[in-house]
Amino acid sequence: MERRAALFEYLLRLGDSCLVLGHRVSEWCGHAPELEEDIALANVALDLTGQADMLLGYAARIEGKGRDADALAFLRDAWDFRNLLLCERANGDFAHTIVRQFLFDAWQAELYAALARSTDAGLAGIAAKGVKEAQYHLRHSGEWVVRLGDGTDESHARAQAALDEFWPFTGEMFETDAVATELIAAGIAPDMTPVEAAWMRTVDDVLAQATLARPKSGWMQTGGSKGRHGEELGHLLATMQFLPRAYPGAKW
Amino acid sequence: MVNAAATLDDPRVVLAWEALAGVMDPEVPVLSVVDLGIVRAVRADASGIAIDLTPTYTGCPATAAIRLDVENAIEAAGLGRPRIALVNAPAWTTDWIGPDAREKLRAYGIAPPAGKASELKAALFAEDPVLACPRCGSTDTRLTGRFGSTACKSLHACNACAEPFEHFKCI
Ligand SMILES: [Zn+2]
């Protein structure tokens, strides 16, 4: 695969994951169980949307076809999205939202730390900035996983159920296909083996404190990076993209 | 402060820095964009002034407003419309906020960043730094929320004077 095309594809994966999860988390605005948590989730959503803006803006410049971050975010359909399937899953209860966030934050913090050493200066700059935000998010979601897991019987059961449901979606985080292989060879993307090992150490450490059991790693879901998504993404995009599609070029 | 050496003696650069010192953060109006450390470079050449800005947080909604305020201030100083570049590397850190600016924050009622971000412990659940209440000075304070009214702040309360306060997060 041509390197420029591979980098475009890779940036879409990173940017779409931020955008879609950022939108999901923003759905909690005004609905979180307490005021401080409402503020926290809104802040996390804002950071992820900001990262998506940078990553998709960079993707558009690499593509060089006159599109910008908004065009990529609002004028593509579900099959053109490259986000992790984990990110598009509906919020469910608060435990589902927190466990999904924790699995993602632990991955993103490790990946950004590695990407900050990328040979691509544009990507390294975004990652060096994003890693601080990701680590801060991880602390927040990690503390909640411990609080829920090591809380009441009810919160423990809900956290474990969320973990069991989302575990098969974690394999996708560490896939290495032709796109990744091309970029790894050029030192643009990191080898995912040490990233996965570090992620697993964080997960095991937090799950132990949370008295939660790590599910067995068996069959894993896949398809997000190839544009094969669940129906939930279409509903999310219908909400997120309505305004710029109904009122093209709208400004305020 | 970062500066291209070749343009240091250009009087327009000095004037530009003076103008920038008067551009306040819309969310924290006691700090200027220079206090915050988000102006990374000012250059002058035949086509005018060029300024490098770095965003504080990637999603900070104030970034666009700050950029516009910077453009207007440079123009109002008679230096023409500047060219603005947003740079990500090196990533912004609160270590660029100097002692004077930290005192301005405290006097405004916001606890300044506790310590240096570059010396923070990497451990996931590392102990939080002890914060002094910006109103009464007591160090008997507690964290009430890791996220606050803006991306750059966390929420706290003082056990001594019972007042809530915000902390400018150390990153
Ligand atoms: Zn006090």
Side-chain angles (χ1 to χ4, degrees):
Chain A
M1 182 174 232
E2 200 256 321
R3 185 168 302 166
R4 212 174 168 79
L7 180 56
F8 174 68
E9 196 66 23
Y10 190 73
L11 289 166
L12 285 185
R13 294 177 186 179
L14 296 175
D16 287 346
S17 291
C18 290
L19 180 68
V20 168
L21 185 59
H23 186 88
R24 274 284 178 245
V25 176
S26 79
E27 291 171 1
W28 276 99
C29 196
H31 301 280
E34 58 183 25
L35 182 61
E36 286 77 8
E37 196 46 34
D38 209 282
I39 294 169
L41 291 173
N43 268 282
V44 171
L46 195 58
D47 284 343
L48 290 173
T49 309
Q51 292 170 19
D53 185 37
M54 285 192 174
L55 290 161
L56 294 179
Y58 188 37
R61 288 195 295 282
I62 292 293
E63 186 193 36
K65 290 187 180 166
R67 292 202 278 186
D68 60 9
D70 281 352
L72 289 174
F74 298 126
L75 302 177
R76 284 180 301 149
D77 264 311
W79 47 80
D80 293 324
F81 272 74
R82 298 291 181 257
N83 59 280
L84 296 169
L85 295 172
L86 177 72
C87 298
E88 70 196 49
R89 299 308 309 276
N91 282 335
D93 62 14
F94 185 66
H96 274 74
T97 290
I98 287 297
V99 168
R100 180 186 63 194
Q101 194 65 36
F102 167 68
L103 295 171
F104 178 87
D105 290 342
W107 168 77
Q108 198 192 39
E110 291 300 336
L111 181 59
Y112 276 168
L115 281 171
R117 298 187 295 271
S118 171
T119 54
D120 183 89
L123 185 50
I126 295 170
K129 190 149 197 57
V131 69
K132 298 183 180 199
E133 296 172 0
Q135 284 166 348
Y136 201 80
H137 299 166
L138 174 59
R139 171 148 201 177
H140 175 254
S141 59
E143 283 175 344
W144 265 114
V145 167
V146 173
R147 203 172 293 141
L148 294 174
D150 194 21
T152 64
D153 288 347
E154 177 76 15
S155 70
H156 177 92
R158 285 177 183 242
Q160 187 66 55
L163 191 60
D164 293 345
E165 184 182 327
F166 288 142
W167 195 255
F169 290 88
T170 58
E172 228 187 9
M173 296 171 165
F174 308 103
E175 286 176 358
T176 300
D177 63 355
V179 168
T181 303
E182 166 72 26
L183 298 177
I184 291 168
I188 294 172
D191 176 2
M192 292 308 281
T193 310
V195 172
E196 181 169 12
W199 174 83
M200 196 68 94
R201 278 196 299 276
T202 303
V203 168
D204 280 342
D205 176 29
V206 171
L207 293 187
Q209 294 185 53
T211 71
L212 293 168
R214 161 149 65 92
K216 282 203 178 60
S217 290
W219 179 80
M220 289 287 179
Q221 291 277 2
T222 184
S225 66
K226 302 288 180 286
R228 293 195 301 274
H229 297 280
E231 68 168 309
E232 290 167 328
L233 180 64
H235 295 283
L236 181 152
L237 296 183
T239 305
M240 189 180 80
Q241 299 182 332
F242 168 77
L243 196 137
R245 284 184 184 262
Y247 304 93
K251 294 224 185 301
W252 61 87
Chain B
M1 205 45 74
V2 191
N3 236 319
T7 62
L8 261 180
D9 49 3
D10 190 314
R12 289 177 299 166
V13 172
V14 179
L15 287 174
W17 278 109
E18 281 173 11
L20 291 168
V23 178
M24 296 301 171
D25 181 317
E27 307 277 11
V28 189
V30 289
L31 291 191
S32 75
V33 291
V34 178
D35 289 331
L36 275 167
I38 61 179
V39 181
R40 302 314 298 156
V42 178
R43 291 176 298 274
D45 58 27
S47 55
I49 301 286
I51 297 173
D52 289 351
L53 295 178
T54 190
T56 52
Y57 287 78
T58 53
C60 180
T63 305
I66 288 173
R67 181 186 176 137
L68 192 63
D69 289 347
V70 164
E71 289 173 347
N72 290 339
I74 295 295
E75 198 165 33
L79 298 166
R81 207 74 185 161
R83 302 189 301 282
I84 307 281
L86 288 178
V87 295
N88 290 324
W92 178 79
T93 165
T94 46
D95 292 354
W96 292 341
I97 300 176
D100 293 353
R102 286 173 191 240
E103 175 52 28
K104 280 188 219 169
L105 270 178
R106 194 207 55 75
Y108 186 61
I110 299 173
K116 293 198 80 166
S118 55
E119 291 163 8
L120 283 185
K121 274 179 269 165
L124 174 56
F125 295 143
E127 217 171 300
D128 287 308
V130 176
L131 288 186
C133 169
R135 296 177 207 284
C136 75
S138 169
T139 51
D140 183 13
T141 62
R142 66 184 190 278
L143 174 79
T144 52
R146 292 204 177 276
F147 296 85
S149 58
T150 64
C152 55
K153 286 174 275 175
S154 52
L155 297 173
H156 303 260
C158 176
N159 296 326
C161 72
E163 288 286 340
F165 66 93
E166 291 186 304
H167 167 228
F168 208 94
K169 283 158 26 182
C170 184
I171 75 157

